[in-house]
Amino acid sequence: NPNNGRFELVRKTAATGIIRYELLDATGRAIGRSGSITGLRTALDLGEASSGVYFVRLQHDSGTDVLRLVLQH
């Protein structure tokens, strides 16, 4: 981080269950990219998004986490 648009979401543990993710802009508004992580790794390609700060909200059995991403072309 910063990055040119290719991020990888990696689980720290082999915990079971689905993790849902949603991409947010700098104001916290959902920008239409979402999905689920069922394995240990998931690729997230923001190559066509504008440079700036984004957040990924992760929802899982234990609660919610938010990660900050910096996209720089």
Side-chain angles (χ1 to χ4, degrees):
N1 230 345
N3 189 301
N4 65 357
R6 297 180 80 63
F7 296 89
E8 187 173 50
L9 302 176
V10 180
R11 288 185 187 220
K12 290 184 178 181
T13 65
T16 59
I18 296 172
I19 297 175
R20 299 191 194 311
Y21 68 87
E22 182 174 32
L23 187 64
L24 312 170
D25 67 11
T27 66
R29 184 180 49 170
I31 61 169
R33 294 189 186 184
S34 62
S36 299
I37 303 170
T38 56
L40 293 177
R41 299 172 183 269
T42 297
L44 185 59
D45 187 355
L46 304 179
E48 295 184 20
S50 300
S51 294
V53 176
Y54 294 88
F55 297 94
V56 177
R57 179 174 33 219
L58 303 168
Q59 296 176 317
H60 47 82
D61 292 341
S62 302
T64 301
D65 293 309
V66 178
L67 305 175
R68 181 177 181 260
L69 305 177
V70 178
L71 181 58
Q72 183 178 354
H73 292 288

